[in-house]
C-alpha cells in the first residue's frame, strides 16, 4: 500500500519545470492585464473581484458573510471560550463560482488557469 512505501517525487525534474511554470504565470498575468485593460494582483481575491464584477460588470455575488471551518465548525476567534466566526466580505471569487462564469468573459478562464499553476508552483 502507498502508506507503507510512499511515492516517488523527482526534485530534479521539479526544478527543471520551475522556469517554465514561472514563465507561463507571467504570460497569464500579462494576458489578464490586457483583458482587464489595467494591472491588478491576480493573487488578491479582492482585486480579482473588483476587476471581474465592478470593472467588467460580470454578474457577481457577495461572498458569504461568515466562513466555516472544516466540517461546518466555525473558526475560533480567540479567547472567551465562545465560538466566533471570521467575517468575510467582498465578491465571491471562489473556484466553484468563477467556473460558472467562464463563458461570459475570457478573463475568468485566465484567472482560473493562473490559480491552478500558482498552486502547482507553490
Amino acid at each position: 500500500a502507498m502508506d507503507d512505501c510512499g511515492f516517488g517525487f523527482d526534485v530534479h525534474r521539479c526544478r527543471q519545470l520551475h522556469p517554465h511554470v514561472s514563465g507561463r504565470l507571467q504570460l497569464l498575468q500579462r494576458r489578464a492585464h490586457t483583458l482587464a485593460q489595467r494591472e491588478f494582483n491576480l493573487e488578491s481575491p479582492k482585486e480579482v473581484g473588483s476587476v471581474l464584477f465592478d470593472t467588467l460588470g460580470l454578474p457577481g455575488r457577495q461572498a458569504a458573510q461568515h466562513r466555516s471551518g472544516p466540517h461546518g465548525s466555525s473558526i475560533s476567534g480567540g479567547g472567551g471560550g465562545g465560538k466566533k466566526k471570521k467575517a468575510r466580505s467582498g465578491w465571491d471569487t471562489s473556484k466553484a463560482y468563477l467556473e460558472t462564469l467562464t463563458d461570459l468573459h475570457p478573463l475568468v478562464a485566465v484567472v482560473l488557469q493562473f490559480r491552478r499553476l500558482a498552486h502547482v508552483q507553490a
Side-chain angles (χ1 to χ4, degrees):
M2 191 184 318
D3 291 343
D4 296 330
C5 62
F7 63 92
F9 181 79
D10 189 341
V11 174
H12 179 71
R13 180 73 177 136
C14 187
R15 286 188 182 130
Q16 285 178 324
L17 290 174
H18 183 80
H20 173 73
V21 173
S22 293
R24 181 79 175 132
L25 284 169
Q26 289 174 354
L27 182 69
L28 288 168
Q29 189 170 41
R30 285 193 302 272
R31 175 99 172 108
H33 295 165
T34 299
L35 289 167
Q37 299 182 344
R38 73 177 180 107
E39 290 190 8
F40 66 101
N41 182 357
L42 278 161
E43 296 182 47
S44 165
K46 183 177 181 180
E47 289 187 37
V48 169
S50 176
V51 168
L52 293 176
F53 307 117
D54 296 328
T55 304
L56 298 177
L58 295 178
R61 68 179 183 195
Q62 293 295 310
Q65 292 303 308
H66 295 95
R67 187 173 71 183
S68 292
H71 312 295
S73 63
S74 62
I75 297 172
S76 175
K83 292 183 178 180
K84 296 182 182 178
K85 293 183 178 179
K86 183 176 180 181
R88 208 173 113 188
S89 60
W91 295 111
D92 183 356
T93 61
S94 67
K95 176 184 175 196
Y97 185 64
L98 292 184
E99 286 175 341
T100 69
L101 304 175
T102 54
D103 293 339
L104 301 180
H105 197 281
L107 179 57
V108 178
V110 173
V111 168
L112 290 169
Q113 286 178 319
F114 181 90
R115 286 180 176 177
R116 274 192 296 272
L117 268 181
H119 181 74
V120 166
Q121 188 179 36

